[in-house]
Amino acid sequence: MAITLVNPDGLPEIDVYRQVSIASGSKLVFIAGQVAWDAEGVTVGAGDLAAQVERCYLNIGTALAGAGGSFDDVAKLTVHVVDWTPDKMPLLLEGISRAAAKLGVTPVPPATLLGVAALDVPEHLVEIEAVAVLD
């Protein structure tokens, strides 16, 4: 595996991600920000943050598989949430948990969570991009 995830001493341990990923592979994979579209470009989970997060993670899983990888190869996630407030965290975590169960993974690479004013279309509540490293 090309990615090792660690929580170095001196940094807080966060349940849903690790602070550092160490990449030793040779193939970089940059996945465009994924929104809650199905294969036909129809928005899944309109108005439902948890459903949209789940779909974003599933789309990332599909993109990774298309590149010959999996969530085990993800070095970094960036999550953009419209009108973010901390009270939305349970919905975000619910969506991640549901996707993880479907994918059979524990997706805990380093992650950045950003609140944004808007995304590409009004019905999209979240967009997630990923960087992966493959052997």
Side-chain angles (χ1 to χ4, degrees):
M1 183 174 0
I3 301 294
T4 302
L5 302 175
V6 297
N7 277 322
D9 290 340
L11 294 177
E13 287 193 26
I14 309 296
D15 289 340
V16 296
Y17 67 88
R18 302 299 174 260
Q19 295 284 0
V20 176
S21 67
I22 302 164
S24 61
S26 59
K27 183 177 176 182
L28 295 176
V29 180
F30 298 91
I31 298 173
Q34 295 298 302
V35 294
W37 278 333
D38 65 12
E40 288 75 41
V42 175
T43 298
V44 174
D48 183 342
L49 181 60
Q52 288 199 17
V53 169
E54 176 183 4
R55 186 61 196 212
C56 290
Y57 271 75
L58 294 175
N59 288 350
I60 290 169
T62 298
L64 288 164
S70 73
F71 260 95
D72 290 336
D73 302 305
V74 174
K76 177 79 167 66
L77 292 172
T78 303
V79 180
H80 303 85
V81 182
V82 174
D83 297 325
W84 174 258
T85 55
D87 63 310
K88 294 181 181 179
M89 184 63 79
L91 294 171
L92 180 79
L93 296 177
E94 177 185 337
I96 294 169
S97 178
R98 292 188 333 214
K102 288 181 179 177
L103 294 167
V105 298
T106 304
V108 293
T112 298
L113 173 61
L114 300 169
V116 296
L119 292 170
D120 59 334
V121 295
E123 61 266 18
H124 289 159
L125 304 175
V126 62
E127 182 170 331
I128 304 172
E129 60 185 61
V131 176
V133 181
L134 306 178
D135 285 324

